[in-house]
Amino acid sequence: MKKIITFFLIYLLIGCSARLEEGEIQDSQPDVDTKDELILAVGSEPEDGFDPTLGWGRYGNPLFQSTLLKYDKDFQVTYDLAENYQVSEDGLLYTVKIRDDVKFSDGEPLDATDVVFTYETTKNSASVVDLNNIEKIEATGDYTIQITLHEPDSTFVYTLVTTGIVPEHAYSDIYKENPVGSGPYQLAQWDKGQQIIVTENPYYYGKKPSFSKLTFLFLSEDAAFAAAKAGNVDIVSVPATLGNEKIDGMQLVQLESVDNRGVMLPFVPSGETTEDGLPIGNDVTADVAIRKAINLGIDRQALVEGVLNGFGSPAYSVVDQLPWWNESTIINDNNIEEAKRMLEDAGWKVKDNGIREKEDIEASFTLLYPAGDQIRQSLSLAFADMMKPLGIDVTAQGVNWSEIERKMYAHPVMMGWGSHSPIEMYHLNSSSTRGIGYYNANYYSNPVVDDYMEKALRATTQDEANTWWEKAQWDGETGLSAKGDAPWAWLVNLDHLYFVNENLEIGEQKVQPHGHGWPITDFILDWHWKE
């Protein structure tokens, strides 16, 4: 890989064409008036390829496949393959009518059997896409599908929005490397570890893209930035550390996101273990006064400025700025004196060493973060410094994910989340998900919150569901936010930063999700050269 990148950088510097093993990167660019192709370096290579049944497309446009529904920029549901859909009064039956004029990129027609095949394959794949709530899916006509759920789930619409449809006739074990779909583009070439080249799908039923060819480069941050500086890419994603740089011919596009970072605080005292014998609970963070004081004492804006170079926003929940967010969860942080008073009132007294203690328990803990993640490391160290004036001793420690998985039930962890579905908030805070993977690893539980979230799931309209999601965060007396039980200390939302060719218009974007996939491609059909 180092040899490949070195060769590529030499190509950039001398301005000539170069061949990277089997694939070829375009050399000099034509005038923007005539250029109908783009070169992008906007994310990493998908580990599981381009198979929606394994999770491809959950964080952006699946490119090669169509979905039944779509979100617009305001998270309102619109149609893609579907012409309409209906939900039964009990929320258990979804009836979807799809278009009858759709073909896959190999020219074969798409019908209801392909939708059924896709969802059944996804359900049986044991992938990150959880469809276990589907009891039955069947084609009731050539272009009509009925999906029966075990239990009502208002978030199921998100599945219809993100799951690309695959062809039954062309699906195999190697589909993830050779996708056939009904989306706007088709895969033309994949040089693993280097790039993919996609071309326009001639059978696409929707809006014709302005660009007939796209090349996605898989480069390190430094190599991608060098490519942009040399004028050889049209869009490049950059970290916050490069956000203040200047690139001739490119403009910085700064997108709001719910790509958050926060500290998961163990909710219960120590003493129990998981089925695998791993310790659960922490006697310090089990005290609500500690958790609330932490949330009050953090200076979130200082973290945005100091760690993210200003390219972000303070975070107060896992769903900031989304339609189901409760804005009343915002707190007045950096309130050191109020945090101290809260700790004093709860019996946490400062000792000679400057660390608080209560009933022989010292207010001290280790904060784990994934080693190698620069942003999480910087946030962890800054967090520890911010806790010192409160009399809370925090040791930030970088470890690998295997160690985090063994220790996360008993130690605070610097985590990152951010989905376009409220089901993530449910998974992180429901009593039913305690100890299931990374979900609710802090063993949070509140029966009132559980009830609100169950009502949200059973709602038959999005507006009704959002009302209950908001109450789960804070109802004026309790909730899962910092104003309530404070099982998390949410810190920041990262802005997603891109340098974009100054002549390219990518349009308005919706709030970006957690940084997997290529979410900037969500509205790629709207991209065009400026007039």
Side-chain angles (χ1 to χ4, degrees):
M1 186 61 187
K2 289 182 179 178
K3 180 179 180 181
I4 293 169
I5 291 176
T6 301
F7 193 27
F8 182 68
L9 288 174
I10 292 172
Y11 150 75
L12 293 176
L13 292 171
I14 65 175
C16 64
S17 61
R19 180 173 298 274
L20 294 178
E21 295 184 353
E22 299 177 6
E24 188 168 83
I25 305 295
Q26 292 79 6
D27 50 2
S28 60
Q29 297 184 4
D31 294 337
V32 295
D33 296 355
T34 59
K35 183 168 176 259
D36 69 345
E37 58 187 75
L38 295 175
I39 301 177
L40 309 91
V42 295
S44 60
E45 187 172 30
E47 293 181 3
D48 293 320
F50 305 102
D51 185 348
T53 72
L54 300 178
W56 163 247
R58 294 173 69 229
Y59 295 98
N61 192 322
L63 291 177
F64 313 117
Q65 298 90 7
S66 305
T67 55
L68 294 175
L69 302 174
K70 296 187 294 186
Y71 278 144
D72 67 12
K73 298 173 183 64
D74 299 314
F75 294 94
Q76 297 298 307
V77 174
T78 61
Y79 297 121
D80 189 357
L81 280 177
E83 290 185 328
N84 62 69
Y85 79 103
Q86 297 177 332
V87 184
S88 61
E89 289 187 5
D90 61 6
L92 292 175
L93 181 65
Y94 284 68
T95 303
V96 183
K97 176 72 168 61
I98 64 172
R99 303 171 59 126
D100 61 5
D101 60 346
V102 178
K103 292 183 178 181
F104 290 106
S105 55
D106 62 358
E108 293 296 315
L110 183 155
D111 61 24
T113 60
D114 295 299
V115 178
V116 172
F117 174 80
T118 297
Y119 278 75
E120 288 181 339
T121 301
T122 304
K123 180 179 179 180
N124 296 328
S125 69
S127 71
V128 294
V129 186
D130 183 4
L131 297 186
N132 287 325
N133 193 30
I134 293 181
E135 178 181 338
K136 179 174 61 175
I137 179 169
E138 56 186 342
T140 57
D142 289 342
Y143 303 101
T144 303
I145 305 97
Q146 287 193 336
I147 305 173
T148 304
L149 305 182
H150 290 290
E151 298 177 349
D153 180 4
S154 62
T155 69
F156 185 70
V157 68
Y158 175 73
T159 301
L160 306 182
V161 166
T162 58
T163 305
I165 303 305
V166 303
E168 183 175 15
H169 71 273
Y171 190 85
S172 68
D173 291 341
I174 61 171
Y175 177 85
K176 64 182 181 181
E177 299 180 1
N178 298 278
V180 173
S182 55
Y185 289 97
Q186 58 187 345
L187 181 62
Q189 180 176 320
W190 185 2
D191 304 315
K192 290 186 177 180
Q194 302 172 37
Q195 64 178 358
I196 66 164
I197 298 174
V198 307
T199 56
E200 182 181 351
N201 174 9
Y203 297 104
Y204 183 56
Y205 54 89
K207 178 180 177 180
K208 179 180 174 63
S210 297
F211 303 98
S212 62
K213 180 179 179 181
L214 306 173
T215 300
F216 292 84
L217 304 179
F218 306 130
L219 300 171
S220 68
E221 291 177 348
D222 290 341
F225 186 70
K229 293 279 283 187
N232 286 318
V233 297
D234 297 292
I235 303 181
V236 59
S237 62
V238 297
T241 53
L242 295 175
N244 289 317
E245 296 290 330
K246 303 295 182 184
I247 301 179
D248 291 340
M250 304 191 85
Q251 60 182 341
L252 181 69
V253 174
Q254 184 174 344
L255 302 179
E256 290 184 339
S257 87
V258 69
D259 189 359
N260 48 56
R261 300 294 182 270
V263 179
M264 179 180 64
L265 301 168
F267 188 75
V268 297
S270 62
E272 300 294 327
T273 61
T274 67
E275 292 181 356
D276 296 326
L278 301 175
I280 297 172
N282 185 294
D283 292 332
V284 178
T285 60
D287 191 320
V288 66
I290 290 283
R291 300 195 303 272
K292 282 178 170 285
I294 287 172
N295 274 279
L296 283 173
I298 297 166
D299 187 343
R300 291 169 171 83
Q301 188 58 44
L303 294 175
V304 171
E305 299 298 331
V307 177
L308 303 182
N309 288 342
F311 297 112
S313 60
Y316 301 97
S317 77
V318 73
V319 296
D320 290 3
Q321 308 303 325
L322 297 177
W324 40 91
W325 177 45
N326 186 339
E327 294 185 29
S328 69
T329 56
I330 295 176
I331 60 173
N332 294 318
D333 63 5
N334 192 26
N335 194 336
I336 303 298
E337 295 308 313
E338 175 63 19
K340 288 180 177 179
R341 184 197 62 78
M342 183 177 292
L343 292 169
E344 286 288 334
D345 291 348
W348 290 94
K349 305 301 181 181
V350 179
K351 298 302 180 181
D352 292 340
N353 60 3
I355 301 173
R356 293 184 182 271
E357 186 178 288
K358 176 182 178 181
E359 297 174 358
D360 296 326
I361 297 174
E362 190 174 69
S364 178
F365 58 79
T366 298
L367 170 59
L368 305 177
Y369 65 87
D373 188 319
Q374 182 179 353
I375 288 179
R376 296 195 206 197
Q377 179 188 37
S378 297
L379 286 172
S380 297
L381 293 172
F383 176 91
D385 283 342
M386 289 180 178
M387 293 299 101
K388 289 178 181 178
L390 306 184
I392 299 175
D393 178 47
V394 177
T395 300
Q397 181 181 4
V399 296
N400 59 38
W401 280 106
S402 295
E403 187 166 352
I404 288 176
E405 290 173 1
R406 293 193 301 271
K407 294 182 175 180
M408 63 185 178
Y409 307 112
H411 293 272
V413 182
M414 183 68 70
M415 300 289 278
W417 296 92
S419 168
H420 283 164
S421 171
I423 196 63
E424 182 173 83
M425 182 170 66
Y426 177 89
H427 286 151
L428 290 175
N429 296 284
S430 171
S431 298
S432 66
T433 58
R434 284 177 293 181
I436 298 178
Y438 289 103
Y439 290 140
N440 204 352
N442 53 346
Y443 277 72
Y444 173 63
S445 179
N446 181 330
V448 175
V449 170
D450 286 340
D451 182 60
Y452 287 147
M453 293 197 296
E454 291 299 329
K455 287 177 178 176
L457 289 178
R458 291 195 296 270
T460 55
T461 69
Q462 292 303 306
D463 287 342
E464 180 190 357
N466 289 348
T467 297
W468 294 115
W469 292 124
E470 291 176 17
K471 282 183 173 293
Q473 295 162 65
W474 180 242
D475 66 1
E477 295 183 0
T478 190
L480 57 86
S481 68
K483 285 189 174 180
D485 297 319
W488 284 75
W490 296 105
L491 304 179
V492 296
N493 298 305
L494 282 61
D495 284 349
H496 287 187
L497 306 179
Y498 299 89
F499 280 103
V500 179
N501 186 314
E502 63 184 8
N503 296 305
L504 180 62
E505 177 61 61
I506 65 170
E508 185 182 353
Q509 304 290 313
K510 61 175 179 267
V511 175
Q512 302 285 282
H514 190 57
H516 297 292
W518 309 331
I520 195 174
T521 63
D522 213 359
F523 300 109
I524 200 167
L525 294 180
D526 296 333
W527 294 8
H528 60 87
W529 294 121
K530 296 176 182 177
E531 297 180 359

